[in-house]
């Protein structure tokens, strides 16, 4: 009997534990349902990380945001240097829970009035491209020219495994030039990122910068030409410089929406019902100023969001305000090969480049070579291209294939034996 009792004791204890666990499970309240406002938004715009009181299990993006907040607090004096007092969290367009994960105070740290602030749209995982920008022209050299630069980022998506929020915090601690919103990195969220950059520049840099240069991180640009242009604009058209109607760049006229579903820029009639877009500026690179940017952002809050950001802000929203576009299409080349040939001709013959902006063709280092060589022209060490030596006549180059993006498979056929 004594032996049988000893054998039954573990079984009885196990049963008691199971009963306690069952009671505990039944008493636990269910997970809160999704917030009704979040569910009512357009499917392409539901990109804010869930808040802690709405989800018991945090997503990767939420975890990254929480980790960023903790690490920012630990390095606040080094990274933000009092930015929190100027950059208060608040709504951005229809995102009522918008906040900055990383903030920059490059304008307020400027020792003198800035000619321009460069806002560069960048995917958070494009650390190599941002490194190329800094290598091509450092923030200290930009400061000497009366310029400063920030990179516009969003929260890391769950699919991003090549960079972490901790790495972004470290990058910010070193350079202080990141501005990261808490909406998720997504192609259809570029309108939020674009508006965030214009709002930050027109607010944070209101008393510090005269102009705003908006560009993408994969664009080659001649910053020396841009500086000369802005300085000459101040002298030749002072009224335009200080007006609230300055938008200058590559103008795209009367472009129809793409209705082919397989295309990356496919737009449904529900998203945009008209046959043509209004004229707009290419988001590759354009120039505006603080008053104009502030008007665009304010008006954007009254207009339904459209996910093609440059078409929306510099086309649809601009048209409502009646702002004319300043055309500088001759500055731009759609061929990265021409910009590559510019570098070769500068090295070999000292010929100045015919173009001042264009895509990098998937080569992050091309910007470094380009800026290091076109700087000679800024000091009048270049010569005009002779007749018959235009790039269209002389440039021979291999067509560049863009490198695969982070997290995207690059498939190549294999010969079977």
């Amino acid at each position: 009997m004594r032996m049988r009792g000893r054998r039954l004791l573990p079984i009885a204890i196990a049963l008691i534990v199971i009963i306690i666990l069952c009671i505990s499970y039944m008493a636990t309240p269910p997970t809160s349902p999704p917030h009704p406002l979040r569910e009512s938004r357009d499917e392409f715009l539901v990109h804010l990380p869930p808040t802690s009181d709405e989800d018991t299990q945090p997503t990767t993006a939420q975890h990254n945001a929480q980790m960023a907040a903790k690490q920012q607090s630990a390095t606040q004096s080094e990274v933000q240097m009092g930015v929190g007092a100027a950059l208060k969290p608040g709504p951005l367009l229809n995102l009522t829970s918008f906040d900055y994960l990383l903030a920059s105070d490059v304008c307020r740290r400027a020792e003198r009035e800035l000619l321009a602030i460069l806002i560069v749209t960048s995917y958070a995982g494009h650390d190599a491209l941002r490194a190329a920008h800094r290598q091509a022209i450092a923030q200290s050299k930009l400061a000497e020219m009366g310029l400063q630069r920030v990179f516009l980022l969003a929260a890391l998506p769950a699919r991003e495994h090549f960079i972490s929020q901790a790495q972004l915090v470290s990058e910010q601690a070193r350079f202080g030039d990141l501005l990261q919103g808490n909406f998720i990195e997504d192609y259809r969220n570029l309108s939020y990122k674009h508006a965030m950059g214009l709002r930050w520049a027109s607010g944070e840099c209101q008393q510090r910068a005269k102009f705003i240069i908006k560009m993408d991180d994969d664009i080659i640009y001649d910053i020396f030409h841009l500086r000369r242009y802005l300085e000459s604009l101040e002298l030749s058209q002072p009224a335009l410089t200080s007006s609230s109607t300055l938008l200058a760049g590559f103008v795209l006229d009367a472009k129809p929406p793409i209705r082919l579903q397989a295309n990356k820029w496919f737009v449904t009639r529900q998203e945009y019902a008209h046959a043509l877009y209004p004229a707009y500026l290419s988001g590759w690179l354009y120039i505006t100023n603080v008053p104009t940017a502030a008007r665009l952002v304010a008006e954007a809050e009254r207009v339904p969001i459209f996910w093609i950001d440059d078409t929306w802000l510099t086309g649809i929203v601009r048209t409502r305000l009646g702002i004319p576009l300043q055309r500088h299409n001759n500055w731009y080349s759609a061929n990265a090969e021409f910009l590559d040939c510019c570098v070769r001709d500068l090295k070999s013959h000292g010929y100045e480049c015919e173009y001042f902006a264009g895509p990098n063709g998937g080569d992050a280092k091309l910007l470094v070579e380009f800026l290091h060589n076109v700087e000679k022209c800024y000091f009048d060490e270049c010569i005009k291209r002779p007749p018959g030596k235009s790039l269209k006549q002389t440039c021979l180059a291999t067509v560049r294939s863009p490198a695969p993006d982070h997290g995207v498979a690059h498939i190549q056929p294999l010969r079977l034996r």
Side-chain angles (χ1 to χ4, degrees), residues 64-135:
N64 287 340
Q66 292 170 346
M67 180 173 61
K70 291 178 181 178
Q71 296 197 33
Q72 271 187 280
S73 178
T75 59
Q76 187 174 9
S77 60
E78 184 177 11
V79 181
Q80 290 189 295
M81 298 178 66
V83 169
L87 296 178
K88 297 178 181 179
L92 176 69
L93 303 177
N94 66 344
L95 300 181
T96 56
S97 301
F98 172 76
D99 199 356
Y100 293 103
L101 299 181
L102 296 172
S104 178
D105 64 346
V106 296
C107 280
R108 291 192 296 112
R109 282 193 286 114
E111 296 179 355
R112 56 189 174 94
E113 184 183 36
L114 297 173
L115 180 65
I117 177 73
L118 283 66
I119 56 173
V120 185
T121 302
S122 180
Y123 173 68
H126 287 177
D127 50 328
L129 276 175
R130 294 192 294 276
H133 277 264
R134 297 181 186 115
Q135 185 179 354

Side-chain angles (χ1 to χ4, degrees), residues 280-300:
Y280 65 96
L281 294 176
S282 168
W284 278 2
L285 185 150
Y286 71 81
I287 293 169
T288 185
N289 61 8
V290 166
T292 307
R295 286 185 70 198
L296 287 173
V297 174
E299 187 64 24

Side-chain angles (χ1 to χ4, degrees), residues 14-50:
L15 286 172
I16 293 171
V17 171
I18 291 171
I19 291 170
I20 292 172
L21 290 174
C22 289
I23 293 171
S24 175
Y25 175 78
M26 292 175 67
T28 302
T31 303
S32 301
H35 197 284
L37 288 178
R38 180 169 296 168
E39 288 299 299
S40 65
R41 292 176 185 161
D42 182 90
E43 61 175 320
F44 294 116
L45 305 180
V46 185
H47 292 302
L48 275 178

